[in-house]
Amino acid sequence: MSILDTLTVPSGLPERYKQLPIEEMKTQISTIKKVMGDRLYLPAHHYQKDEVVQFADDTGDSLQLAQLAAQNKQAETIVFCGVHFMAETADILTEDNQTVILPDMRAGCSMADMADIYQTERAWKQLKTLFGNTMLPLTYVNSTAAIKSFVGKHGGATVTSSNAMAMVDWAFTQKERILFLPDQHLGRNTAYELGVSLEAMAVWDPINDTLEYEGNYDDVKVILWKGHCSVHEKFTLENISDIRRKHPGINVIVHPECSYEVVEQSDFSGSTKMIIETIEQASQGSKWAIGTEMNLVNRIIQQHPDKEIVSLNPNMCPCLTMNRIDLPHLLWALEEVLDGRKTNQIKVDRDTSLYAIKALDRMLERA
Ligand code: 13P
Ligand code: SF4
């Protein structure tokens, strides 16, 4: 389901869940969790709302959630509190007899929607005429299972924000060039950090099927897909200069889905896990501006009253699709599971999984 659909299509949540008092929903969720015990597993991404996180068996960044899904062999049902691509990854990495449920099918990812498999196949064909057999595809996990499968079939791998450096480094041991999908910013930031100059990076525009590059094609080392995160693109250089002016001595820490300019002007960048750990380890009284999704920033602020923490963008940016999962949808999902129904199941077909798992395994082996 694309982001546009998520705005118009209802989730199917039965009316009665919309009327339930919050305390009643909380009690019922706790009861179902107790009744189901180990047969149920409830992982949640760090961007989930607090009302959902309080019931999570585990929280994590994309890499941790993929690892946890792969390790969990006892749960019959995984109610995944995150977005669609994360639930697909969990389905690919779990056994056939384990069922993955996404409480609201409208919980997509606008970045993952910026690359579809048809665009990817077209791009590959055209890029091959320019670069022959010199490219290895890498895809950020924020992509469809079909793209992970394409990448796996062509010898490539998935990456997350916490292992992108290691994976890009590995990719260059395999081929001369990489095609990095679908987040141009994570690709650019990572390659630059590894010493690839901006002049050696081209951008593939999947809407116009064109390569944006001014120099000699022989010099291209990285081809970046022209995709981005609509939440992280909201953090700007102006935000950084404003915050430094208002709070002298403040540390700026951002997610690498922010633009190259923003990452370069920040003090630190890293995955949601890295951001959480950095603030945990910071000294009392230290000052921080965080450039990532607002549910996580608000949680970090609450957990660290001994530090001065603000959002890098004062008009905080929620991830609207992560926010789709709320108490009513979670309770609905759990009651359906308890009654033996597989409502909102995420199922990746066998053919797609076959190669997608290769791309994921190549990453997990190196994680
Ligand atoms: P992390 O892997 O850092 O948790 O990031 C996932 C994501 O979607 C960030 O927008
Ligand atoms: Fe996708 Fe951005 Fe939301 Fe992450 S924050 S899930 S990349 S839209």
Side-chain angles (χ1 to χ4, degrees):
M1 190 178 289
S2 78
I3 291 299
L4 279 183
D5 291 337
T6 70
L7 298 173
T8 49
V9 177
S11 68
L13 179 75
E15 214 44 46
R16 71 182 187 86
Y17 290 98
K18 298 175 189 163
Q19 325 294 341
L20 284 177
I22 290 175
E23 286 311 315
E24 197 176 322
M25 286 192 277
K26 287 192 300 251
T27 309
Q28 288 179 19
I29 291 171
S30 300
T31 307
I32 295 173
K33 285 200 68 188
K34 237 179 243 145
V35 169
M36 293 209 62
D38 281 354
R39 289 184 294 136
L40 174 74
Y41 180 52
L42 207 155
H45 186 263
H46 291 309
Y47 290 164
Q48 289 287 293
K49 294 176 168 185
D50 286 347
E51 67 190 55
V52 169
V53 166
Q54 66 183 321
F55 294 109
D57 293 315
D58 284 304
T59 53
D61 68 1
S62 306
L63 178 63
Q64 290 173 300
L65 293 176
Q67 288 166 327
L68 288 162
Q71 284 157 16
N72 188 309
K73 302 289 172 214
Q74 74 271 17
E76 290 160 12
T77 309
I78 294 157
V79 173
F80 202 102
C81 296
V83 288
H84 195 272
F85 73 80
M86 295 178 180
E88 274 190 338
T89 299
D91 183 57
I92 295 165
L93 293 173
T94 48
E95 307 294 326
D96 286 349
N97 61 354
Q98 294 179 292
T99 302
V100 176
I101 302 289
L102 185 64
D104 186 338
M105 290 301 238
R106 301 171 307 167
C109 163
S110 58
M111 176 198 288
D113 282 349
M114 289 180 195
D116 71 31
I117 186 62
Y118 306 106
Q119 292 171 324
T120 306
E121 279 166 352
R122 269 200 325 265
W124 191 251
K125 206 166 152 200
Q126 262 180 258
L127 289 168
K128 276 192 97 167
T129 64
L130 299 176
F131 300 111
N133 199 19
T134 63
M135 300 174 297
L136 191 83
L138 287 181
T139 187
Y140 193 18
V141 284
N142 301 32
S143 54
T144 63
I147 289 179
K148 291 184 178 78
S149 186
F150 174 92
V151 165
K153 203 181 262 175
H154 291 85
T158 57
V159 318
T160 75
S161 54
S162 57
N163 60 20
M165 292 276 277
M167 294 311 297
V168 171
D169 211 19
W170 166 79
F172 280 126
T173 67
Q174 307 296 302
K175 295 275 180 177
E176 206 179 309
R177 301 186 165 85
I178 58 169
L179 167 64
F180 193 99
L181 299 114
D183 185 13
Q184 59 170 309
H185 301 304
L186 179 65
R188 186 177 290 110
N189 290 326
T190 308
Y192 185 80
E193 193 74 18
L194 285 167
V196 179
S197 71
L198 294 181
E199 292 72 37
M201 299 187 210
V203 175
W204 177 260
D205 175 349
I207 306 294
N208 297 307
D209 285 332
T210 49
L211 188 66
E212 296 176 358
Y213 190 66
E214 311 246 295
N216 182 337
Y217 287 155
D218 286 346
D219 299 333
V220 172
K221 297 290 290 172
V222 177
I223 302 142
L224 303 163
W225 193 268
K226 201 172 187 174
H228 64 268
C229 165
S230 39
V231 174
H232 289 90
E233 74 164 1
K234 305 250 162 55
F235 298 104
T236 63
L237 284 179
E238 208 187 345
N239 292 150
I240 299 185
S241 50
D242 282 354
I243 217 104
R244 291 205 196 279
R245 202 175 45 248
K246 281 190 205 132
H247 306 268
I250 199 163
N251 297 287
V252 178
I253 185 166
V254 299
H255 196 279
E257 287 174 14
C258 292
S259 71
Y260 162 78
E261 291 77 13
V262 165
V263 169
E264 279 306 295
Q265 287 303 313
S266 300
D267 300 298
F268 306 93
S269 76
S271 74
T272 53
K273 172 176 180 271
M274 181 273 189
I275 293 173
I276 292 168
E277 289 175 352
T278 305
I279 306 284
E280 271 168 8
Q281 287 154 19
S283 55
Q284 271 192 12
S286 56
K287 296 190 230 172
W288 294 88
I290 308 179
T292 196
E293 201 273 345
M294 85 173 204
N295 287 324
L296 176 58
V297 176
N298 279 334
R299 191 171 307 122
I300 295 176
I301 291 173
Q302 278 159 26
Q303 287 170 349
H304 298 276
D306 61 322
K307 292 156 201 163
E308 258 183 67
I309 307 170
V310 292
S311 167
L312 177 56
N313 181 338
N315 307 310
M316 287 249 225
C317 311
C319 174
L320 294 176
T321 47
M322 283 275 181
N323 270 3
R324 292 281 187 196
I325 317 285
D326 55 12
L327 276 186
H329 283 88
L330 180 57
L331 177 59
W332 175 41
L334 293 178
E335 289 196 339
E336 292 293 287
V337 171
L338 192 65
D339 291 347
R341 285 187 292 275
K342 296 185 177 181
T343 305
N344 293 344
Q345 182 179 7
I346 300 293
K347 187 91 204 118
V348 179
D349 67 80
R350 248 172 209 282
D351 287 352
T352 306
S353 284
L354 200 67
Y355 284 103
I357 202 160
K358 284 189 192 297
L360 285 160
D361 279 348
R362 287 186 191 115
M363 172 183 80
L364 293 172
E365 277 161 23
R366 288 168 184 85

